[in-house]
Amino acid sequence: MSAIQNYEDRPWMDPEAEPFIKIQSVSKLFGDFVAVDSVDLEIYKGELFCLLGGSGCGKSTLLRMLAGFEMPSSGSIMIDGANMTDVPPYERPVNMMFQSYALFPHMTVEKNVAYGLKRDGIAADEIGKRVEEMLSMVELTQFRKRKPHQLSGGQQQRVALARSLIKQPKVLLLDEPLGALDKRLREQTQYELMALQDQLGITFVVVTHDQEEAMTLSTRIAVMDLGRFQQIGTPTEIYEFPNSRLVAKFIGNANMFEGRVTENSPDHVTVESHDPECQFYIDHGMSIQKGSKVWIALRPEKINISKEPPANGNANVIKGMVHDIGYLGGTSTYRVQIGDGRIVEITSPNQVRPKDGTPPIDWDQEVYLSWHASSSVVLNK
Amino acid sequence: MNTEAGLEAGSGAEVSGSMLANWANHVIHHHWRTLVLLVPFIWLLIFFLAPFFIVFKIAFAEAVIASPPYTPMIEWVDEGIMHIRVVIDNFAYLWEDDLYVNTYLNSVKISTISTILCLLIGYPMAYAIVRSSHTTKHILLMLIILPFWTSFLLRVYAWMGLLADQGLINDILTWFGLEPVRMLYTQFAVYVGIVYTYLPFMILPLYANMEKLDWTLLEAAADLGARPATTFVTVTLPATIPGIVAGALLVFIPATGEYVIPDLLGGGNVLMIGRVLYNEFNANIDWPVASAVAIALLLVLVLPMMLYQHMQGKETESR
């Protein structure tokens, strides 16, 4: 069996796989405002799925519809084969971790965590046992008698996580789970969350506006804008093969050039841009009309910067002048001015230690920017 | 010479003036906390504590037909002999006479039931106001406050017109061919009056409390499997207890001492302590007994409040 046919980690590629969560043409209107605009989405069991987008893009509304706090204006939501569209939150097999944690302020840590089990009428000693297990898993055993306001932000976050996991939900919904933590704690918790998800095998749906968080956490990302999905794919797909300028700009940095298709053959495509004057040669064919207007996206780290002109002809080269250098130690960011004043950003690893402290490329030097024929992404919207 | 002296005197005044300013600065900088507290303190001293001591003093005197109509506490007999007269008969009299004991009990009963009624009516109203949209919220709050713009007495008279034997309500009942009901001068009328008058005092603190409530807590409870009723009992109610207590105190305390409502709507049939106090003071002209009634009422009201504060203090400590 070749790697690509091993669907275990990629259930969405398996035509036989049955989706665990099925969202079908779901819309949500608040008055005249369309928060979610007829979206379809399939999420598979065990996925860590991220809904990514700016504020007001509809990601939180979609999550709240999965939780049952909002009912869809139209469309249907299925979870594990059961229709959940109009089921109230207290009857859904899903739990949510709130952005504000929403811990009950008048209850101790222990009572907060036990709350969900008590609602199910589980016997007291069974509840005690499971709370004990859960608290030791999130390392909060010694804080069991504390009230939420006596805990640090990180501890509160773990109580919220424990409380939402104790009922062993089919799906765990996380609303900006790391948003309220400081940077170091966020990175650490990120990996803890992934390990936990792996260990429990629960399907996670995470809402975030932080693209880095989405990239590290998820199996797949849905980029949302104006209530619609712009692109759904793995972090690599989204980064390397964005399908629109919006996605390319939202995830990471991208230098964008406008041009027209001048040649379209099965094994290559050329695009000519006039501002700056440049020929783009792409080493694979694509279904695109000759003469049509396109945009080329080039990631900063895919561009080479050199003082000498590259050997391989006139395509995929731009001449420019170094405008600014940001030295970050491991890498340097060059801002190079081309043509009529546009700035192109390049990041390049500092592999060679410069002799007597002089950087190989200096301010106001004339440089050549070049890239591999497979590096540029052609976008038609 | 003269001018010089004038100048000297002038500069002398300047020096002492700047010293005064320095001193004032010093006081303001170092004792501003005390200064700020001094104003309300003096206010309370003059307008609350002093009158209270006067009433307290009168409660230990005897009634006489004179002006003022009570015996002084301190008398000078002959020359240089001070005679202090303290009479506790007034309090003993309150205790021995069933009328007073029953009236106190009745007052507390009526204000307790009224407070519960206000809570039962006011809680859902406050909840509805908090959950309504921004514009509706302001209109509703305005409507709650609106009755205050009319005289309280006028509103109670209006209720007399509504509840009277031949009032509006009975007119409507007879128009539908029903028997008229006696409402005015019954306990029922007193409850209507008290609940109507004091409802805003229940709603406003509850509103203020609920406005701060974190509604995601209710979503969290629902998410964890709590039905709406369970969410209410386990989350909403505990979170709104401060509002309930504040509202209950604001209704219970003035309702217990209420005079106008039982007098106008209850007639002679509903005895409440405010009316007894009024009668002792004005009809009997027995200021000492009236003062004793007032002091006893204060004890009835203050003791449970102090108890509550003590308990609250303990709870905050244990946190």
Side-chain angles (χ1 to χ4, degrees):
Chain A
M1 208 194 262
S2 74
I4 202 75
Q5 275 159 343
N6 178 6
Y7 294 131
E8 205 173 290
D9 293 332
R10 278 179 276 251
W12 54 90
M13 310 229 343
D14 181 0
E16 305 280 299
E18 188 60 33
F20 197 60
I21 302 172
K22 217 170 176 175
I23 296 171
Q24 278 175 319
S25 51
V26 163
S27 292
K28 179 67 188 179
L29 284 82
F30 294 109
D32 290 338
F33 177 69
V34 186
V36 173
D37 190 3
S38 185
V39 300
D40 293 283
L41 179 63
E42 289 176 347
I43 298 172
Y44 294 85
K45 197 170 168 60
E47 267 202 87
L48 206 164
F49 195 93
C50 261
L51 297 170
L52 178 65
S55 62
C57 71
K59 60 188 194 299
S60 291
T61 308
L62 190 58
L63 193 78
R64 289 173 61 79
M65 285 194 281
L66 283 172
F69 301 139
E70 307 283 355
M71 297 300 164
S73 306
S74 62
S76 73
I77 295 172
M78 309 276 286
I79 296 173
D80 196 15
N83 191 344
M84 286 290 146
T85 316
D86 297 314
V87 174
Y90 46 86
E91 281 169 8
R92 292 194 185 203
V94 304
N95 283 128
M96 176 144 159
M97 199 184 115
F98 292 81
Q99 185 177 9
S100 64
Y101 308 146
L103 299 176
F104 304 125
H106 56 287
M107 294 182 200
T108 58
V109 167
E110 207 171 35
K111 292 220 169 98
N112 262 288
V113 176
Y115 191 88
L117 294 180
K118 263 198 191 144
R119 302 288 82 79
D120 287 357
I122 290 167
D125 48 341
E126 165 78 8
I127 292 179
K129 217 183 85 200
R130 279 171 67 177
V131 168
E132 192 64 37
E133 278 171 19
M134 191 49 86
L135 285 179
S136 77
M137 194 175 86
V138 296
E139 292 162 29
L140 281 172
T141 311
Q142 79 234 54
F143 300 107
R144 57 200 299 170
K145 295 288 179 205
R146 295 254 185 111
K147 295 260 177 82
H149 69 94
Q150 295 167 314
L151 302 175
S152 71
Q155 290 165 337
Q156 289 183 12
Q157 195 254 9
R158 300 216 298 279
V159 178
L161 189 63
R163 189 180 69 174
S164 56
L165 280 173
I166 197 151
K167 290 183 82 172
Q168 295 162 354
K170 286 182 176 168
V171 180
L172 182 68
L173 308 170
L174 301 100
D175 189 3
E176 304 272 0
L178 310 174
L181 304 178
D182 61 61
K183 196 175 184 305
R184 266 191 74 174
L185 199 55
R186 195 158 60 215
E187 279 167 11
Q188 185 193 334
T189 315
Q190 202 163 281
Y191 290 104
E192 281 175 11
L193 214 56
M194 286 161 76
L196 196 70
Q197 196 261 349
D198 207 38
Q199 181 191 334
L200 298 171
I202 294 173
T203 309
F204 278 27
V205 180
V206 181
V207 151
T208 181
H209 69 275
D210 184 333
Q211 46 122 338
E212 237 175 88
E213 194 175 303
M215 298 285 279
T216 25
L217 278 178
S218 27
T219 51
R220 282 193 302 157
I221 299 173
V223 181
M224 266 188 105
D225 187 53
L226 301 172
R228 288 174 162 277
F229 294 131
Q230 298 301 317
Q231 190 172 0
I232 302 170
T234 61
T236 318
E237 281 167 3
I238 300 262
Y239 187 79
E240 302 289 358
F241 306 100
N243 64 1
S244 65
R245 283 180 293 158
L246 189 132
V247 174
K249 280 181 174 170
F250 195 77
I251 310 277
N253 291 328
N255 297 298
M256 212 63 81
F257 304 94
E258 200 182 310
R260 269 182 204 286
V261 180
T262 47
E263 208 182 330
N264 184 9
S265 58
D267 68 332
H268 74 273
V269 171
T270 57
V271 173
E272 204 169 285
S273 131
H274 293 291
D275 178 28
E277 208 67 54
C278 181
Q279 276 251 330
F280 292 88
Y281 178 90
I282 298 106
D283 66 354
H284 55 87
M286 60 189 79
S287 55
I288 204 151
Q289 205 72 47
K290 192 177 163 184
S292 65
K293 187 175 159 184
V294 291
W295 289 270
I296 303 281
L298 266 175
R299 297 289 187 194
E301 76 282 0
K302 301 259 190 314
I303 304 177
N304 263 320
I305 183 163
S306 60
K307 284 188 274 193
E308 311 301 326
N312 52 349
N314 293 327
N316 295 346
V317 179
I318 309 177
K319 216 164 112 178
M321 176 95 83
V322 178
H323 182 72
D324 218 343
I325 304 173
Y327 179 70
L328 301 170
T331 57
S332 284
T333 302
Y334 300 93
R335 291 165 62 80
V336 174
Q337 195 170 338
I338 51 160
D340 60 341
R342 276 196 53 184
I343 296 281
V344 174
E345 207 177 285
I346 300 109
T347 45
S348 146
N350 294 321
Q351 284 174 326
V352 182
R353 225 163 136 195
K355 278 181 216 146
D356 36 275
T358 352
I361 290 166
D362 217 339
W363 271 271
D364 294 330
Q365 260 180 0
E366 212 172 69
V367 287
Y368 293 89
L369 308 179
S370 60
W371 52 91
H372 192 261
S374 68
S375 293
S376 38
V377 181
V378 181
L379 305 166
N380 56 9
K381 59 176 181 182
Chain B
M1 280 294 274
N2 272 345
T3 20
E4 239 171 71
L7 272 176
E8 261 169 40
S11 66
E14 242 168 61
V15 168
S16 73
S18 73
M19 272 174 68
L20 194 72
N22 275 343
W23 178 79
N25 259 337
H26 173 83
V27 169
I28 290 169
H29 274 281
H30 294 267
H31 303 285
W32 60 272
R33 260 179 238 268
T34 327
L35 284 174
V36 167
L37 284 176
L38 209 60
V39 179
F41 185 76
I42 292 172
W43 176 274
L44 285 173
L45 196 73
I46 296 174
F47 295 105
F48 179 76
L49 217 56
F52 174 76
F53 273 113
I54 294 169
V55 172
F56 194 75
K57 198 191 94 183
I58 298 172
F60 290 97
E62 268 181 306
V64 288
I65 300 169
S67 177
Y70 54 89
T71 55
M73 185 174 267
I74 297 163
E75 272 179 313
W76 294 99
V77 194
D78 299 331
E79 260 166 48
I81 298 170
M82 198 174 69
H83 187 192
I84 299 175
R85 187 208 301 261
V86 175
V87 185
I88 55 161
D89 283 7
N90 301 321
F91 290 96
Y93 174 60
L94 290 188
W95 181 247
E96 281 155 14
D97 195 328
D98 281 351
L99 171 80
Y100 294 104
V101 177
N102 287 339
T103 312
Y104 276 119
L105 290 177
N106 203 39
S107 290
V108 170
K109 187 190 109 191
I110 289 176
S111 55
T112 306
I113 293 174
S114 303
T115 307
I116 292 167
L117 288 174
C118 279
L119 182 63
L120 292 179
I121 301 166
Y123 198 96
M125 283 174 80
Y127 193 90
I129 293 172
V130 170
R131 300 286 344 226
S132 57
S133 73
H134 192 73
T135 30
T136 330
K137 188 184 282 184
H138 284 273
I139 294 168
L140 291 173
L141 276 177
M142 192 68 193
L143 288 175
I144 299 284
I145 301 165
L146 203 62
F148 290 122
W149 292 7
T150 329
S151 153
F152 161 63
L153 210 56
L154 208 68
R155 283 180 283 137
V156 178
Y157 275 123
W159 273 110
M160 287 177 78
L162 290 172
L163 298 171
D165 288 351
Q166 315 223 300
L168 190 67
I169 295 171
N170 273 328
D171 279 355
I172 293 168
L173 285 181
T174 25
W175 192 75
F176 279 108
L178 296 163
E179 283 287 304
V181 186
R182 181 164 180 84
M183 290 176 289
L184 193 60
Y185 306 133
T186 61
Q187 291 235 351
F188 170 75
V190 175
Y191 282 123
V192 168
I194 292 181
V195 169
Y196 163 78
T197 308
Y198 291 106
L199 192 58
F201 296 98
M202 179 62 84
I203 293 175
L204 293 176
L206 274 174
Y207 167 81
N209 175 249
M210 286 177 188
E211 184 78 341
K212 288 183 292 181
L213 185 68
D214 180 4
W215 298 98
T216 52
L217 293 182
L218 310 194
E219 286 183 348
D223 184 66
L224 292 165
R227 291 168 172 280
T230 318
T231 303
F232 179 76
V233 175
T234 54
V235 178
T236 318
L237 207 56
T240 49
I241 278 178
I244 295 174
V245 171
L249 286 177
L250 280 181
V251 173
F252 180 80
I253 292 169
T256 311
E258 183 56 53
Y259 160 69
V260 174
I261 296 168
D263 194 55
L264 293 181
L265 299 178
N269 303 321
V270 182
L271 275 181
M272 280 185 79
I273 208 66
R275 278 196 63 211
V276 171
L277 201 146
Y278 178 85
N279 284 342
E280 291 298 347
F281 203 86
N282 278 337
N284 286 352
I285 320 191
D286 191 341
W287 287 21
V289 167
S291 300
V293 168
I295 299 285
L297 177 64
L298 194 75
L299 290 180
V300 168
L301 294 180
V302 163
L303 280 180
M305 254 180 77
M306 282 171 64
L307 206 70
Y308 169 75
Q309 284 214 321
H310 179 71
M311 272 161 47
Q312 267 231 318
K314 266 194 175 169
E315 197 176 306
T316 348
E317 265 171 43
S318 73
R319 266 187 194 177

